[in-house]
Amino acid sequence: MSIQIKDKIFWVGKIDDRKVPFHRLILERGTTYNSYLLMTEKPTVIDTVDIEFGREYVENLRKLIDPAQLEYIVINHVEPDHAGALPALAAAAKKAKIVTTELGGRLLKDMFRLHHREFILVKDGDSLDIGGKTLRFFETPFLHTEETMITYSVEDRTLFPCDIFSTHIAAGELYNDLAEEEYVEDFKLYYKLIMSPHRPYVENMLDKLKGLSIDVIAPAHGYILREDAGSFIRLYQEMSKAGNAQDKKVTIVFSTMTGNTGKAAQKLAEGIEEKGISTSVFNLKNADVAEVAEVIRASDGVLIGSSTKYADMVGKIEELLGLLKEKGVGSKLAAAFGSYGWSGEAVTHIERYLCDAGLKVVNQNFLIETLGVDQPLFPLRVKFDREEGLNTALKAGGVFAELLK
């Protein structure tokens, strides 16, 4: 199946009208996997379809073009529902160069054993002449994984944003102005489930769109938005509005033996404050535990750190954690950190207390599920006061702040 949506631009995707398992959900209204063929002097495909339909996809594509004629394959996002048919397509399109971000290239090579293929790795604002049309690329990290980008066809004023602006509906009528049923609530639900956890990055993406004239939004799932495309951009703006960051506050508390955990605390505070969120930092050696607990109660997030001595926490950290568990401080975001020399178990004890106190603990599992971050950040373990560890603390503070926005 193919449908012409603009001059020399064809939809060549797959409609999946089953109840589709997806991200631990069931898509009751199905979905589409939208792929686009640009029949220019240098024929180009933008995104593919789910890995389950790879062979069918290539056979359908052959009805429009011999894949051997393809010059470029643009992959905006490497998740298997968009890049899954790439191995089948690449096998048929042997001369096609694969266009993606630097991280996208590394992932695709490893996922699909494409180390032998030629890649064009693009950065923010890069352009590619495909013979009669110009594509511009913008990196959109964490929407909703780190490697993602969006593609804009300049002459057509058409945006190909992959998962962004998508809707999970098996949209056989393809265009939003032909929709037979209500779909805007599904559009909002998609944002809430997939994009909302990455709200700060949504705002960054919207900033990049401000200089573009957009008539059509051609996403990877659901309807192609050709009627009042700007209204859907405005919806994203409304849904992504962060609360006033200056009204947010994070409390950082630590106990230290040699000062290294204090250095990590300061770097965490620096990373948080760079995002416009205020911090209060307490060394429990010089602070009243009950007073600190009250400050934590009034905060939006808390970071608790300790050096490790004999595989345990030090100072009055355990007393504070016990009080938080006893009194309760709500379900605010919390994370553990600390310095160590040869073991570093203190953070595991802190994290266990935070969980028992009912706090929402930010750790590696949480970051993978919400942001797709694969660099270990929390619980933060800094060996002595090594520069690389303190740099990680700075980044971790920034990520923690973004989770609060």
Side-chain angles (χ1 to χ4, degrees):
M1 182 177 178
S2 65
I3 298 174
Q4 185 167 356
I5 64 171
K6 278 272 191 173
D7 177 44
K8 299 181 180 178
I9 300 179
F10 295 83
W11 178 89
V12 288
K14 169 69 179 178
I15 297 171
D16 191 350
D17 58 5
R18 305 169 299 167
K19 292 185 178 182
V20 182
F22 188 82
H23 284 251
R24 298 185 63 81
L25 302 170
I26 298 296
L27 305 180
E28 296 289 339
R29 298 181 70 179
T31 194
T32 63
Y33 308 107
N34 298 337
S35 174
Y36 302 95
L37 170 65
L38 283 63
M39 294 277 279
T40 56
E41 295 169 17
K42 300 176 182 179
T44 300
V45 161
I46 298 179
D47 294 319
T48 67
V49 301
D50 188 83
I51 192 169
E52 183 176 351
F53 306 108
R55 180 176 297 179
E56 176 186 343
Y57 170 73
V58 173
E59 290 309 308
N60 285 338
L61 197 61
R62 290 186 191 278
K63 297 172 185 177
L64 280 178
I65 188 173
D66 178 355
Q69 297 177 15
L70 291 176
E71 294 279 350
Y72 302 109
I73 302 169
V74 176
I75 300 295
N76 285 313
H77 173 33
V78 305
E79 206 170 12
D81 54 331
H82 310 297
L86 178 60
L89 179 58
K94 297 187 183 301
K95 72 174 183 178
K97 302 175 181 66
I98 301 168
V99 183
T100 190
T101 60
E102 181 179 358
L103 178 56
R106 294 204 303 270
L107 292 171
L108 290 171
K109 288 176 184 178
D110 289 340
M111 287 169 60
F112 299 129
R113 299 184 180 181
L114 294 170
H115 297 84
H116 62 290
R117 294 300 293 252
E118 184 176 352
F119 279 73
I120 297 176
L121 304 180
V122 297
K123 296 180 180 178
D124 238 10
D126 283 355
S127 296
L128 179 66
D129 181 354
I130 60 170
K133 296 185 187 294
T134 306
L135 301 182
R136 290 186 66 194
F137 308 100
F138 299 91
E139 295 178 88
T140 54
F142 301 112
L143 294 181
H144 57 109
T145 52
E146 189 173 1
E147 85 295 341
T148 56
M149 68 178 193
I150 58 179
T151 300
Y152 175 68
S153 179
V154 176
E155 291 79 7
D156 304 293
R157 299 198 291 190
T158 297
L159 183 70
F160 301 94
C162 202
D163 274 333
I164 305 166
F165 302 113
S166 281
T167 310
H168 278 312
I169 292 178
E173 57 270 46
L174 195 62
Y175 300 106
N176 67 317
D177 55 297
L178 300 179
E180 297 175 355
E181 298 181 50
E182 204 285 328
Y183 66 92
V184 175
E185 290 306 312
D186 294 87
F187 179 87
K188 292 178 180 178
L189 180 62
Y190 184 100
Y191 174 88
K192 179 180 178 180
L193 295 176
I194 306 297
M195 296 297 160
S196 181
H198 314 274
R199 186 169 59 187
Y201 298 101
V202 172
E203 294 175 333
N204 293 340
M205 178 273 297
L206 291 170
D207 284 340
K208 295 178 182 182
L209 297 187
K210 286 179 180 177
L212 306 180
S213 296
I214 299 172
D215 290 342
V216 175
I217 299 174
H221 294 294
Y223 290 110
I224 295 173
L225 306 172
R226 69 177 182 182
E227 181 178 70
D228 200 6
S231 68
F232 296 93
I233 296 174
R234 290 191 292 275
L235 261 180
Y236 261 53
Q237 290 169 336
E238 292 169 11
M239 292 187 291
S240 68
K241 281 179 182 174
N244 188 344
Q246 300 198 353
D247 292 339
K248 304 282 187 178
K249 184 171 70 174
V250 174
T251 299
I252 303 173
V253 188
F254 69 93
S255 283
T256 185
M257 293 188 297
T258 62
N260 293 336
T261 299
K263 292 178 183 178
Q266 292 300 326
K267 284 294 182 181
L268 285 165
E270 185 179 335
I272 291 167
E273 290 169 2
E274 284 179 354
K275 301 294 183 179
I277 293 177
S278 64
T279 63
S280 297
V281 182
F282 295 94
N283 183 343
L284 273 191
K285 181 180 179 180
N286 308 311
D288 179 87
V289 170
E291 290 179 3
V292 170
E294 288 305 311
V295 174
I296 291 172
R297 190 187 302 276
S299 299
D300 299 285
V302 58
L303 296 163
I304 296 183
S306 174
S307 305
T308 297
K309 181 179 181 181
Y310 300 137
D312 206 350
M313 300 170 283
V314 302
K316 296 184 284 186
I317 287 292
E318 190 162 16
E319 179 184 350
L320 172 66
L321 290 166
L323 186 60
L324 297 181
K325 180 179 177 181
E326 177 188 344
K327 300 294 185 181
V329 289
S331 58
K332 63 190 72 198
L333 289 181
F337 70 96
S339 66
Y340 70 102
W342 56 88
S343 54
E345 295 90 343
V347 295
T348 65
H349 304 315
I350 293 170
E351 195 169 271
R352 188 156 48 247
Y353 266 104
L354 295 174
C355 288
D356 290 346
L359 292 154
K360 187 180 294 184
V361 176
V362 178
N363 55 23
Q364 191 61 13
N365 287 341
F366 182 94
L367 291 173
I368 290 170
E369 290 174 356
T370 57
L371 295 180
V373 173
D374 60 2
Q375 178 185 358
L377 295 177
F378 290 111
L380 176 67
R381 298 167 71 241
V382 177
K383 193 160 189 176
F384 298 113
D385 61 348
R386 292 179 179 172
E387 183 178 1
E388 62 268 28
L390 295 178
N391 288 339
T392 300
L394 181 67
K395 179 176 181 179
V399 170
F400 191 86
E402 288 172 351
L403 291 168
L404 288 171
K405 287 186 174 182

